[in-house]
C-alpha cells in the first residue's frame, strides 16, 4: 500500500488568512520589500512562537517543506515517509531585522547536533534545516552555521547536522492545518520543547549590505 492510499491527501480548506497574534496575512501579500526564510527546528509549534515574537517579523506560519508528497497531511508527514520537515515560514522586514539576527534565534533555541531529533520528538520531520530564499540568507546560514559549530565543539558537543538547502530546491511550502497555526497562542499550555540552550550564536558575522567576495562557508548537508 502506498502512502497516498494509506493517508489520503488533505482536502480541507486552506488555513485561516490572518495571523492570530500579529494580525497580518498568513499567505501575503505582505508590504513591499518583505523577505521570507523557512526554518525547521523540531516541532513547529514552539518554533513558530519564537519567531513571531522577534522584532521586524511581519508574519509566520507552520507548514511542511522539503518532501515529495504533494499537499501532505500532518499524519502523512508524521509517518516519516514524505520527506517533509515541520517548517516555519518567517516573513520579515529587512530594514528592521536581518537573516543573521533571525538565525541567531534559530541556533540558540534548539539542538542542531541531533540528526532527526529534538528531545523526545524523533523522526525526519523533526530535522534541523534552513531553507533560504536569497543570497544574503544563504550567506548568513552557512557562516553562522560554521561559527556556532565552533562554539558547540569547544563545549564538547558533536558537529552540527543542520541542512542548508535553497527553498527553490526543497520544493513547495505547504501550509499546515488550521489548528497548527499559532498553536501555542491558541493553547498556552500546549507542548513545547524549545528554549534557550545556554549557548550564544555570534552576530556581526555577515555584512548584509556588502557580502564578502570570498567566504569560507560550509556546504549544505
Amino acid at each position: 500500500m502506498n502512502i497516498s492510499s494509506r493517508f489520503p491527501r488533505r482536502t480541507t480548506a486552506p488555513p485561516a488568512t490572518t495571523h492570530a497574534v500579529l494580525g497580518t496575512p498568513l499567505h501575503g501579500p505582505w508590504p513591499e520589500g518583505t523577505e521570507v526564510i523557512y526554518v525547521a527546528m523540531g516541532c513547529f509549534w514552539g518554533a513558530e512562537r519564537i519567531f513571531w515574537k522577534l522584532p521586524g517579523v511581519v508574519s509566520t506560519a507552520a507548514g511542511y517543506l522539503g518532501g515529495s508528497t504533494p499537499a501532505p497531511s500532518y499524519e502523512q508527514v508524521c509517518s516519516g515517509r514524505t520527506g517533509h520537515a515541520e517548517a516555519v515560514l518567517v516573513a520579515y522586514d529587512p530594514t528592521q531585522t536581518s537573516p543573521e539576527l533571525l538565525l541567531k534565534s534559530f541556533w540558540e533555541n534548539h539542538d542542531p547536533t541531533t540528526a532527526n531529533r529534538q528531545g523526545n520528538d524523533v523522526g525526519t520531520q523533526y530535522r534541523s534545516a534552513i531553507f533560504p530564499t536569497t543570497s544574503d540568507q544563504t550567506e548568513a546560514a552557512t557562516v553562522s552555521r560554521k561559527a556556532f559549530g565552533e562554539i558547540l565543539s569547544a563545549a564538547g558537543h558533536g558537529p552540527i547536522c543542520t541542512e542548508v538547502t535553497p527553498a527553490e530546491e526543497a520544493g513547495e511550502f505547504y501550509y499546515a492545518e488550521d489548528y497548527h497555526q499559532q498553536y501555542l497562542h491558541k493553547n498556552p499550555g500546549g507542548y513545547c520543547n524549545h528554549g534557550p540552550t545556554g549557548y550564544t550564536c555570534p552576530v556581526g558575522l555577515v555584512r548584509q549590505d556588502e557580502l564578502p567576495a570570498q567566504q569560507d562557508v560550509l556546504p549544505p548537508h
Side-chain angles (χ1 to χ4, degrees):
M1 180 181 296
N2 65 37
I3 189 169
S4 296
S5 58
R6 185 178 178 188
F7 298 114
R9 285 178 58 183
R10 233 178 334 139
T11 57
T12 56
T17 58
T18 302
H19 196 286
V21 178
L22 301 177
T24 52
L26 276 183
H27 303 262
W30 298 296
E32 184 177 355
T34 299
E35 296 181 355
V36 172
I37 188 171
Y38 302 93
V39 296
M41 49 196 291
C43 176
F44 46 24
W45 294 346
E48 188 190 9
R49 181 171 64 178
I50 288 168
F51 288 96
W52 81 52
K53 292 183 175 182
L54 297 180
V57 170
V58 175
S59 190
T60 61
Y64 313 116
L65 185 59
S68 58
T69 301
S73 66
Y74 180 64
E75 289 75 18
Q76 283 180 306
V77 172
C78 286
S79 75
R81 298 173 62 188
T82 74
H84 290 87
E86 291 194 12
V88 175
L89 175 156
V90 183
Y92 64 95
D93 180 348
T95 69
Q96 300 297 317
T97 187
S98 68
E100 199 172 9
L101 289 174
L102 296 174
L103 292 175
K104 175 178 171 65
S105 292
F106 169 83
W107 295 119
E108 293 178 356
N109 285 280
H110 81 296
D111 184 354
T113 69
T114 52
N116 303 325
R117 178 172 190 163
Q118 288 297 312
N120 293 326
D121 295 333
V122 180
T124 55
Q125 69 269 34
Y126 300 117
R127 67 187 183 271
S128 177
I130 302 168
F131 304 101
T133 64
T134 71
S135 59
D136 283 6
Q137 293 172 9
T138 300
E139 189 77 10
T142 51
V143 174
S144 63
R145 182 180 185 272
K146 178 180 180 182
F148 196 55
E150 291 173 352
I151 288 173
L152 295 182
S153 178
H157 296 284
I160 285 179
C161 302
T162 304
E163 71 173 88
V164 179
T165 302
E168 63 181 9
E169 296 179 13
E172 184 172 351
F173 174 82
Y174 294 102
Y175 283 79
E177 295 82 348
D178 274 353
Y179 75 92
H180 290 300
Q181 306 300 333
Q182 298 85 64
Y183 181 88
L184 291 179
H185 170 72
K186 301 169 185 174
N187 303 275
Y191 169 76
C192 176
N193 68 350
H194 290 88
T197 60
Y199 298 101
T200 301
C201 180
V203 293
L205 297 170
V206 182
R207 285 283 303 276
Q208 297 301 316
D209 59 342
E210 185 178 339
L211 298 179
Q214 298 292 329
Q215 184 68 60
D216 180 17
V217 296
L218 293 178
H221 265 36

